[in-house]
Amino acid sequence: MEKEKPKIVKKIMFVMRHAPHGTIYSYEGLETALIMAAYEQDLSMTFIGDGVFTLVKNQKTESLGTKGFVATYGVLEDYGIEKIYVDKQSMEDRGLKPDDFIIPVQVKETSEISALMEEQDATVPY
Amino acid sequence: MEKEKPKIVKKIMFVMRHAPHGTIYSYEGLETALIMAAYEQDLSMTFIGDGVFTLVKNQKTESLGTKGFVATYGVLEDYGIEKIYVDKQSMEDRGLKPDDFIIPVQVKETSEISALMEEQDATVPY
Amino acid sequence: MLHIVNKSPFTNNTLTECLRFVTQGTVILLIEDGVLAAKSGTVYSSKMTETLKKNEVYVIKADILARGVSPIIDGIKVTDYEGFVDLVEKNKVHSWV
Amino acid sequence: MLHIVNKSPFTNNTLTECLRFVTQGTVILLIEDGVLAAKSGTVYSSKMTETLKKNEVYVIKADILARGVSPIIDGIKVTDYEGFVDLVEKNKVHSWV
Amino acid sequence: MKIAVQVIEGPYNNQASDSAYHFITAALARGHKIVGVFFYHNGVINVCNMAKPPQDDRNIQKRWGELGRENGIDIVACIAASKRRGICADHVIEGARVSGLGQLTDMTIEADRLVTFG
Amino acid sequence: MKIAVQVIEGPYNNQASDSAYHFITAALARGHKIVGVFFYHNGVINVCNMAKPPQDDRNIQKRWGELGRENGIDIVACIAASKRRGICADHVIEGARVSGLGQLTDMTIEADRLVTFG
């Protein structure tokens, strides 16, 4: 899709803190990320708290009758969103490890995530 | 208001667990209680968790520009809802005591509230 | 009595609060994000294991599958919406929404 | 950096999670039900007192008044919406919604 | 057994609508009677007839209308909650209606169980 | 300074709309520019023009329209989120509009700060 490219490139981080399925935040948040990806900004996505459940493998929503949107997170990289961070403590508190996720992620310490947040021009929380 | 009185009298408990103002549950929940009061059922209202903040004295919403509905809880008794229970631990965890409330309440132990819940025909959670 | 909880125990204190009011014979049903409490090896799982010593805990299978919750804590019973209905038929209900 | 929190710390873990990411110089602004964390004498107040040793904490006066939160913990600063705007002007912002 | 259902969150935004729907269809399959479904708080959004979700997704609002029509279930959204939110006034899905909190009261009194989804 | 605002919860149900409104009026009083207000998730309910709240209460939706018209602020609700919820299609308050997530992107890029209320 051809877009008139703005000259400004900003650092924008999506901060995902909601579990998938119980509420729509991680689904509609993904929609935002995919649209924003067309604007050639410096995007990243960080999973904190229950947000880390979003990327868990083997989510099967057929028996709920809802759209299984989580696989779509797999296309983030194709859309140029390559910086995917997971908060280590959130992951460990929930009994998860990097292998449990559908895509490769960068597991970060609390202090590293704080530093990344401070670098951003804007954070978009969902 | 004349209502055709149903012959059934049920024990119905409103269970209020939300803080006031941040969300509408305690306000719209009160609306339900006042309507249901006209049906001459055996009603009670129990405040658990952040619900205990609902009855706190000296709530001044003028500078928020919102409706100060909390005083309306004061009419519950006039509407025949006389069983007002407050969970003791929720109250103490939040640094509150019976004097802090706008109306007289019955402070109950956890086990007493459990027993009261089990007596109900229905609980209405807000 | 049947207590229904639909919130994640990692984000919200609803399940913890509910468990305080549980007595002998109370049944707990976890639905929606509430089923995250059924995952083994989390900071919440010992609380669930403790609860299972005195109370039955059920989860909705569709919610477990949707979230890929695995493995689940030993002793938690997996049911479907018809099982949910049966629990409601057998017990008085409180929804901790 | 300014962290904005609008949830009650008694119901939701948002403030606790936010405080984990706070560093030297981070400012915390409590709004809406978040101001309940400013009440003294609660199970959460020692956590706030600890936070105040390293960080500035603000609350919105209108939210404090609406909820009758009193007394508030020593050291917490009370501000209004214009003060909120000034904090946003001085700091990058993250909203913990 | 007679069951009343209350839903207090909006469709799609929260899973409550889906859970309530699956619970009700299972209750009907088990031979129980659903005395009514009452929508309150943001739940009132469930009966708006203008939903156009993505084609590969369920249409929650339409599904409520069908459930009401096909099973003779009273599907009611609270009028005060609807007015406050400014929705659904002239756009209520066929098979549902907007009415007062007295309907919730009637359902609760008539039913053996009230189950709330939120 | 240029500020963008996002609101992700519905009016009345959550205080987010009120906080955002008070924040914006204070920002305008301080001489800042509001580059836009974007409504997402249940926040889209903020722009429906059929609200009839009790007479002694504020009319949040109407207030957003006035804020947009009187201050030339772009007030935008997400179209995908609106369609899913089935609301506001032909009933958008004067002074607001329904558009895509590109608007949120534009606002975020243009602004010095994005503040989200939810």
Side-chain angles (χ1 to χ4, degrees):
Chain A
M1 187 169 42
E2 263 329 286
K3 278 265 169 201
E4 191 189 329
K5 288 169 200 167
K7 280 166 194 163
I8 317 165
V9 174
K10 293 216 165 173
K11 290 174 89 77
I12 302 171
M13 179 188 279
F14 296 96
V15 180
M16 314 301 286
R17 284 183 57 249
H18 289 89
H21 313 301
T23 54
I24 203 169
Y25 304 105
S26 57
Y27 174 21
E28 290 190 332
L30 175 62
E31 289 186 340
T32 309
L34 296 179
I35 296 289
M36 244 184 230
Y39 289 70
E40 310 209 343
Q41 301 294 304
D42 183 358
L43 301 182
S44 59
M45 189 175 274
T46 300
F47 295 86
I48 296 176
D50 280 343
V52 301
F53 285 120
T54 309
L55 297 180
V56 164
K57 281 178 189 166
N58 296 319
Q59 299 188 38
K60 296 184 177 130
T61 62
E62 293 77 9
S63 45
L64 279 187
T66 61
K67 243 178 105 167
F69 65 93
V70 169
T72 311
Y73 272 91
V75 308
L76 284 175
E77 194 177 349
D78 301 334
Y79 276 67
I81 305 179
E82 291 164 354
K83 297 170 193 162
I84 310 285
Y85 307 117
V86 166
D87 172 51
K88 189 174 178 218
Q89 185 172 330
S90 298
M91 179 183 79
E92 291 177 351
D93 284 353
R94 288 158 184 80
L96 295 170
K97 43 188 196 316
D99 274 359
D100 292 322
F101 300 129
I102 55 162
I103 49 173
V105 300
Q106 298 180 47
V107 178
K108 297 281 185 191
E109 299 288 342
T110 303
S111 60
E112 294 177 293
I113 294 199
S114 295
L116 286 164
M117 285 176 88
E118 303 210 1
E119 282 176 16
Q120 305 303 312
D121 292 300
T123 61
V124 189
Y126 290 128
Chain B
M1 187 168 45
E2 264 327 287
K3 279 264 168 199
E4 189 187 330
K5 288 169 199 165
K7 283 166 192 162
I8 317 165
V9 175
K10 293 215 165 174
K11 290 174 87 77
I12 301 171
M13 178 189 278
F14 296 96
V15 181
M16 315 301 285
R17 285 182 57 248
H18 289 89
H21 312 301
T23 53
I24 202 170
Y25 304 105
S26 57
Y27 174 21
E28 290 191 332
L30 175 63
E31 290 187 338
T32 309
L34 296 179
I35 295 290
M36 244 184 230
Y39 288 72
E40 310 211 343
Q41 301 294 304
D42 183 358
L43 301 182
S44 60
M45 190 176 272
T46 300
F47 295 87
I48 296 176
D50 279 343
V52 300
F53 285 120
T54 308
L55 297 180
V56 165
K57 280 178 189 166
N58 295 321
Q59 299 188 39
K60 296 185 176 128
T61 62
E62 293 77 9
S63 45
L64 279 188
T66 61
K67 243 178 104 167
F69 64 93
V70 169
T72 311
Y73 272 91
V75 308
L76 284 175
E77 194 176 350
D78 300 334
Y79 276 67
I81 306 180
E82 291 164 355
K83 299 170 193 161
I84 310 285
Y85 307 117
V86 165
D87 172 51
K88 190 175 178 216
Q89 186 172 328
S90 298
M91 179 184 80
E92 291 177 351
D93 285 353
R94 288 159 183 80
L96 295 170
K97 44 187 195 318
D99 274 359
D100 293 322
F101 301 127
I102 54 162
I103 48 173
V105 300
Q106 298 180 48
V107 177
K108 297 282 184 188
E109 300 288 343
T110 303
S111 60
E112 294 177 293
I113 294 199
S114 294
L116 286 165
M117 286 176 88
E118 304 211 0
E119 281 175 16
Q120 305 302 312
D121 291 301
T123 61
V124 189
Y126 289 128
Chain C
M1 182 134 198
L2 177 70
H3 288 275
I4 305 172
V5 175
N6 76 334
K7 303 285 191 300
S8 164
F10 307 107
T11 288
N12 196 287
N13 86 332
T14 300
L15 179 55
T16 301
E17 198 160 84
C18 162
L19 292 178
R20 183 156 61 84
F21 292 92
V22 157
T23 58
Q24 189 72 29
T26 304
V27 180
I28 297 141
L29 172 64
L30 305 173
I31 70 171
E32 302 174 8
D33 287 347
V35 303
L36 296 170
K39 188 172 186 308
S40 67
T42 75
V43 287
Y44 206 80
S45 48
S46 63
K47 177 105 181 163
M48 292 311 294
T49 304
E50 202 55 40
T51 301
L52 284 160
K53 289 180 186 165
K54 314 178 312 293
N55 296 94
E56 284 187 301
V57 179
Y58 288 85
V59 288
I60 300 285
K61 188 176 184 182
D63 284 319
I64 290 284
L65 290 174
R67 290 159 183 82
V69 176
S70 172
I72 67 169
I73 295 163
D74 269 357
I76 290 184
K77 294 171 184 168
V78 178
T79 191
D80 56 15
Y81 290 103
E82 299 208 346
F84 182 172
V85 171
D86 295 344
L87 288 170
V88 167
E89 185 179 11
K90 275 184 220 131
N91 301 277
K92 289 184 179 186
V93 178
H94 181 64
S95 306
W96 292 79
V97 289
Chain D
M1 181 132 198
L2 177 70
H3 288 276
I4 306 172
V5 175
N6 76 333
K7 302 285 191 300
S8 163
F10 307 107
T11 287
N12 196 287
N13 86 333
T14 300
L15 179 55
T16 301
E17 199 159 82
C18 162
L19 292 178
R20 185 156 60 84
F21 292 92
V22 157
T23 58
Q24 191 70 30
T26 304
V27 180
I28 297 139
L29 172 64
L30 304 173
I31 69 171
E32 304 174 7
D33 287 347
V35 303
L36 297 171
K39 188 172 187 307
S40 67
T42 76
V43 287
Y44 206 80
S45 49
S46 62
K47 178 105 182 166
M48 292 311 296
T49 305
E50 202 54 40
T51 301
L52 285 160
K53 290 180 186 163
K54 315 177 313 292
N55 296 92
E56 283 187 301
V57 179
Y58 288 84
V59 288
I60 299 285
K61 187 176 184 184
D63 284 318
I64 291 283
L65 290 174
R67 290 160 183 82
V69 176
S70 171
I72 68 169
I73 295 162
D74 268 358
I76 290 183
K77 293 171 183 168
V78 178
T79 189
D80 56 14
Y81 290 102
E82 299 208 345
F84 183 173
V85 170
D86 295 343
L87 288 170
V88 167
E89 185 179 10
K90 276 185 221 131
N91 302 278
K92 289 184 178 184
V93 178
H94 180 64
S95 306
W96 292 79
V97 288
Chain E
M1 149 171 282
K2 290 186 282 185
I3 302 171
V5 171
Q6 183 181 211
V7 180
I8 65 171
E9 295 290 351
Y12 303 102
N13 205 90
N14 293 63
Q15 201 190 330
S17 303
D18 291 296
S19 297
Y21 181 82
H22 293 309
F23 172 79
I24 290 167
T25 52
L28 293 171
R30 278 284 199 255
H32 297 296
K33 178 175 165 61
I34 302 295
V35 300
V37 182
F38 193 83
F39 295 105
Y40 199 36
H41 307 309
N42 275 349
V44 296
I45 307 168
N46 278 281
V47 303
C48 292
N49 72 2
M50 298 180 291
K52 285 180 189 139
Q55 293 207 336
D56 56 346
D57 202 354
R58 68 221 186 276
N59 186 321
I60 294 179
Q61 295 88 334
K62 193 174 154 203
R63 204 166 65 177
W64 282 123
E66 287 165 1
L67 185 85
R69 294 199 305 278
E70 289 167 14
N71 300 281
I73 297 172
D74 198 11
I75 311 274
V76 185
C78 173
I79 191 164
S82 288
K83 278 188 174 176
R84 193 171 273 133
R85 290 161 182 82
I87 52 175
C88 305
D90 310 313
H91 300 282
V92 180
I93 200 120
E94 195 194 331
R97 65 194 178 103
V98 173
S99 187
L101 286 158
Q103 301 304 312
L104 173 62
T105 311
D106 287 337
M107 289 177 192
T108 305
I109 294 170
E110 187 188 345
D112 301 301
R113 299 278 185 274
L114 171 68
V115 185
T116 300
F117 293 87
Chain F
M1 150 170 282
K2 291 186 282 186
I3 302 171
V5 172
Q6 184 181 210
V7 179
I8 65 171
E9 295 289 353
Y12 303 101
N13 205 90
N14 293 65
Q15 202 190 330
S17 303
D18 292 296
S19 297
Y21 180 81
H22 294 308
F23 172 78
I24 290 167
T25 52
L28 293 171
R30 279 283 199 257
H32 298 295
K33 178 176 165 59
I34 302 295
V35 300
V37 182
F38 193 84
F39 294 105
Y40 199 35
H41 307 309
N42 274 349
V44 296
I45 307 168
N46 278 280
V47 303
C48 293
N49 72 1
M50 298 180 291
K52 286 180 188 138
Q55 293 207 335
D56 55 347
D57 202 355
R58 68 220 186 276
N59 186 321
I60 295 180
Q61 294 89 334
K62 192 176 156 202
R63 203 167 66 176
W64 282 123
E66 288 165 0
L67 185 84
R69 293 198 306 278
E70 289 166 15
N71 300 281
I73 297 173
D74 198 11
I75 311 273
V76 185
C78 173
I79 190 165
S82 288
K83 278 189 173 175
R84 194 170 274 133
R85 289 161 183 81
I87 52 173
C88 304
D90 310 313
H91 300 282
V92 180
I93 200 121
E94 194 193 332
R97 64 193 179 103
V98 173
S99 188
L101 286 158
Q103 302 303 312
L104 173 62
T105 312
D106 287 337
M107 290 176 192
T108 306
I109 294 170
E110 187 187 344
D112 300 302
R113 299 278 186 272
L114 170 68
V115 185
T116 300
F117 293 87

